Amino acid sequence: RALQAAAVAGAAGSAAAVVPKGRALDVGADAVYDIENRVDGEEQPQLEVSPITMYVTEYAERQFCQIAVNSRYICYGLRAGQIRVLHKDTSERALLRGHTQMIGDMRFAPSSKDDIIASFGVDGNLLVKRIKFAEDAIEEQPLLQVTVVNPPAGSVPRVRWLSKSRLAASIGDAIFGVDVDLKAREPVVFTAELTEVGMPEGAPNRFIVFAPLGQKPSIDDFDFSPEGSLACAHADGTVRVYSAPTGEGDVIDFAYDGPPSVDATFEPFAEDPDGALASIAWVGDDAIVVGGESNKTLALWKLGSGDMEGAECVQTLKVSGDVYNFSCVAYPHARLVLLANLRKQSVYAVHLAAEAAGFDYVSEFSVTMPILSFTALKESDDPYALQLYCMQTQAIQQYALHIDRCRPEGSQGDEGEYVINEEEADADTDGFESAAEEDETVAVPAITPATPTPTTPAASAPGSSKLLTPGELMSMASGGSAAASGAGSAPESPRAAEGSAGSKPPPPKPKAPGPAPAGVNPLPP
């Protein structure tokens, strides 16, 4: 359990110092956080880091979610569209193929007993696969491939799980939903044109086009509320909200009866009403946080009733200075909006007051290198510890973050006490686990893609990313070095080492990283 040991070590270290050193905000009052000016008592401590693997990714400013983590696996995207899979317990690795271009988004299904990952690439391919570990090797079982015809260039693909077997995805201004057959012996393959609302002819089970292509500005992000309402952030600065009748499932299903009606359309930023939006997330039954261009400004909105009666902007927070932020919301297990500033090697934690009354605290932390994409999980026994799994320019690393360092001292609330009842959460599996067990003796079929792309896993090529061995990870966690344990520094092959294709602006000259925390030896550049 080498990688898990590293995560636990990081969480234990974070618990030793939980005094907040950030800045208190007046709840409900618009605020500016100037990253160049400090107030008395503020500090920017370096988060304790646990290196996972050395991998070079080209610096690029984009809102692609290219890392996904669950209790057993760490997955991250490579330049050509492959997905590197690392097993936390054994350090085994594999390479999943199927995409021909970069991955825009990937996420694990919300299950504690099965490992299903969905990935959506800019090539228009949505792939869903089960990851299995058998006979000391990682295997893949393809379950679903949806190939979008003529995917819009320059769009940001997004995918969200609605349950363990149903997901929604967007590309351009189109949104569609589809069920995943978890018992499938052969993958479901479908080519979708996304030109009309409804269920296309020959579509797989419960495939529904909720919003067709070419009708509205591109969707940069979307999110579902616990009740099934949908909020979309568009490239023209507009938010659109669609609500489902209470207790009747998610709003996607209502497109079977015809084009859905929009409950609300509004511009969350009065100062820049036409600026592209970068992120959106529900943080309560009727509250959303919207990220403006490059996530430089956050706006907290209360939506009121279904017809937007009583809707209001509760508060805005602008991060001023040289900023390009990637956003990740840790909710409900923490009331935090986390922002990674690619240009400053910094993470900003913005805390929400109880009942989404406003922003009440902002904290800043330094990291060893720019974070290009990350995800936040609660993994340790400490209910107030978060683990940030990060794709950075030179490595994949995990950072430990304690909630008490990110909120006003002495504040109380329900955060940190969010517990998933695994027995209840997995009650709707419909027996797929037994089917998965039977699959161990069944040959895994290969997808026949609609476009000529390989879909079967390939053996790792020589010279690929250096996965630290259990001994090396434990040595690092105890203050040793990878070199002392025999670890090399072989980079990923040149084709896979760069994080993106095409012309990208050169990275700004990074500031020198601060000293590593005691007991941690960061990876070499």
Side-chain angles (χ1 to χ4, degrees):
R1 298 180 174 269
L3 301 181
Q4 288 184 340
V8 171
S14 68
V18 293
V19 177
K21 298 293 184 180
R23 183 181 306 182
L25 304 175
D26 293 330
V27 175
D30 293 348
V32 176
Y33 179 73
D34 188 342
I35 63 175
E36 303 299 337
N37 295 317
R38 309 299 179 189
V39 300
D40 291 342
E42 279 189 351
E43 297 181 7
Q44 298 78 46
Q46 181 167 305
L47 292 177
E48 186 165 359
V49 59
S50 296
I52 295 173
T53 186
M54 299 171 64
Y55 174 66
V56 176
T57 303
E58 180 185 80
Y59 179 96
E61 296 180 350
R62 55 176 172 252
Q63 298 292 326
F64 284 4
C65 302
Q66 292 194 295
I67 186 167
V69 182
N70 70 358
S71 61
R72 285 171 286 272
Y73 295 99
I74 300 170
C75 299
Y76 58 93
L78 307 183
R79 174 186 178 182
Q82 307 99 322
I83 297 175
R84 174 67 72 195
V85 181
L86 309 179
H87 195 287
K88 287 184 175 182
D89 289 353
T90 66
S91 297
E92 291 294 328
R93 61 182 179 177
L95 197 64
L96 307 184
R97 299 178 183 273
H99 295 284
T100 60
Q101 298 179 51
M102 291 193 66
I103 294 168
D105 199 3
M106 59 178 171
R107 298 176 189 264
F108 275 103
S111 173
S112 63
K113 298 181 180 179
D114 207 6
D115 303 298
I116 310 292
I117 190 168
S119 56
F120 203 1
V122 297
D123 58 359
N125 283 315
L126 170 67
L127 303 180
V128 181
K129 300 182 179 184
R130 172 180 281 121
I131 302 174
K132 302 187 294 183
F133 187 76
E135 298 180 357
D136 298 326
I138 297 173
E139 299 177 355
E140 69 170 277
Q141 180 192 1
L143 298 174
L144 174 71
Q145 174 167 333
V146 176
T147 298
V148 176
V149 176
N150 299 322
S155 60
V156 182
R158 287 285 185 255
V159 62
R160 297 290 185 273
W161 287 94
L162 299 171
S163 68
K164 298 173 184 60
S165 60
R166 182 160 177 77
L167 57 79
S170 71
I171 188 167
D173 61 323
I175 304 176
F176 62 91
V178 63
D179 276 6
V180 179
D181 185 357
L182 301 177
K183 300 179 183 179
R185 293 294 193 270
E186 296 183 358
V188 175
V189 180
F190 178 66
T191 300
E193 294 191 2
L194 307 183
T195 55
E196 296 181 358
V197 173
M199 186 174 183
E201 183 178 354
N205 185 32
R206 294 184 69 202
F207 184 97
I208 182 73
V209 178
F210 180 80
L213 280 171
Q215 303 295 315
K216 300 178 180 68
S218 291
I219 296 171
D220 289 334
D221 197 14
F222 72 93
D223 194 27
F224 286 88
S225 73
E227 287 72 33
S229 296
L230 170 65
C232 300
H234 291 264
D236 66 343
T238 301
V239 169
R240 288 178 171 84
V241 180
Y242 307 81
S243 295
T246 303
E248 297 188 27
D250 64 79
V251 70
I252 294 291
D253 286 339
F254 292 89
Y256 287 106
D257 300 326
S261 60
V262 181
D263 287 338
T265 300
F266 63 95
E267 296 158 349
F269 297 101
E271 294 182 356
D272 187 15
D274 299 324
L277 304 179
S279 63
I280 194 166
W282 292 88
V283 291
D285 294 340
D286 65 343
I288 58 174
V289 171
V290 184
E293 186 175 2
S294 304
N295 284 305
K296 295 178 181 178
T297 305
L298 301 177
L300 174 62
W301 275 75
K302 286 288 189 72
L303 300 184
S305 60
D307 58 2
M308 290 292 288
E309 182 179 352
E312 63 175 343
C313 180
V314 177
Q315 188 174 358
T316 63
L317 173 63
K318 181 178 181 180
V319 183
S320 176
D322 190 14
V323 174
Y324 185 93
N325 288 328
F326 180 90
S327 174
C328 176
V329 175
Y331 181 88
H333 47 277
R335 295 197 301 267
L336 292 176
V337 180
L338 302 172
L339 304 171
N341 188 354
L342 279 67
R343 299 176 181 175
K344 290 292 184 181
Q345 298 176 208
S346 298
V347 172
Y348 312 118
V350 181
H351 186 260
L352 287 157
E355 300 180 358
F359 304 122
D360 62 5
Y361 206 77
V362 58
S363 308
E364 182 175 343
F365 306 92
S366 63
V367 292
T368 58
M369 60 191 77
I371 294 176
L372 306 177
S373 180
F374 75 104
T375 186
L377 281 78
K378 179 187 174 298
E379 291 185 322
S380 73
D381 293 335
D382 184 348
Y384 297 97
L386 292 177
Q387 284 72 47
L388 311 184
Y389 286 88
C390 305
M391 170 180 274
Q392 298 182 267
T393 51
Q394 299 176 37
I396 307 298
Q397 303 197 101
Q398 177 263 331
Y399 293 88
L401 179 64
H402 203 283
I403 295 175
D404 279 344
R405 302 177 76 177
C406 308
R407 61 182 184 173
E409 191 169 8
S411 62
Q412 297 179 351
D414 56 356
E415 57 190 327
E417 300 172 2
Y418 176 71
V419 178
I420 297 177
N421 186 320
E422 293 186 358
E423 181 178 351
E424 179 181 350
D426 288 307
D428 61 346
T429 56
D430 293 330
F432 81 83
E433 281 127 7
S434 59
E437 292 173 1
E438 294 171 6
D439 286 342
E440 298 295 341
T441 60
V442 178
V444 176
I447 282 182
T448 303
T451 53
T453 60
T455 58
T456 53
S460 300
S464 59
S465 61
K466 178 67 174 70
L467 177 62
L468 302 180
T469 66
E472 292 161 1
L473 275 169
M474 295 306 292
S475 175
M476 281 189 164
S478 62
S481 66
S485 299
S489 58
E492 203 54 74
S493 61
R495 289 183 58 85
E498 297 179 1
S500 64
S503 175
K504 298 292 180 182
K509 184 177 180 180
K511 67 180 182 181
V520 175
N521 184 17
L523 288 175

